[in-house]
């Protein structure tokens, strides 16, 4: 199945449109630049503690407002191997929002009262990220809704970006 992309000819009804996006952030972001007197270097003190990243996944509607949101905390996957056998600690890349996390978000979204009481199917709009592709379309189709992807060059068309 090929994903459907919104073109200039597509029209949407505000009641049926739901915008979905994820936005990562960290609580430990520190400014790397500072102000100082002329001719003196700016001294910046950064903490050594690194916090976990968080990702907010949210769904909004132009007429109904915020429908559903979830926060995913990024935790590193670590695999410790036995040092007695000559192996070392193997550390893998931390995982944020994966296709499985996004699918479970959609399933929880479909269980909200706004979706349960809807008489018409909704059109779910999100950007062209790799995790939005694949079998996600099947999950949306089985729930009786439609998926449309925004063009890769136009993330500003999604109001949840703001």
């Amino acid at each position: 199945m090929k994903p459907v992309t919104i073109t200039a000819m597509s029209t949407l009804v505000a009641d049926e449109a739901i915008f979905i996006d994820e936005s990562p952030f960290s609580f430990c972001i520190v400014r790397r630049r500072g102000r100082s007197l002329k001719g003196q270097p700016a001294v910046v003190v950064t903490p050594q503690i690194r916090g976990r990243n968080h990702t907010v996944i949210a769904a909004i509607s132009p007429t109904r407002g915020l429908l559903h949101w979830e926060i995913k905390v990024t935790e590193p996957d670590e695999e410790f191997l036995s040092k007695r056998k000559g192996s070392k600690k193997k550390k893998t890349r931390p995982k944020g929002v994966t296709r499985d996390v996004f699918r479970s978000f959609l399933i929880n979204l479909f269980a909200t009262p706004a979706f349960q009481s809807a008489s018409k199917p909704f059109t779910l709009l999100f950007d062209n990220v790799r995790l939005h592709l694949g079998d996600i379309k099947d999950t949306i189709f089985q729930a009786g809704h439609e998926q449309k992807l925004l063009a890769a060059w136009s993330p500003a068309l999604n109001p949840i970006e703001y």
Side-chain angles (χ1 to χ4, degrees), residues 61-75:
S61 168
T63 57
R64 301 167 195 247
L66 181 65
L67 296 175
H68 183 65
W69 60 273
E70 290 180 9
I71 296 177
K72 164 79 170 104
V73 179
T74 303
E75 296 183 20

Side-chain angles (χ1 to χ4, degrees), residues 113-127:
F115 275 81
Q116 296 295 323
S117 64
S119 58
K120 293 182 181 180
F122 288 106
T123 303
L124 304 176
L125 296 126
F126 31 81
D127 48 7

Side-chain angles (χ1 to χ4, degrees), residues 26 76 102:
S26 175
F102 188 70

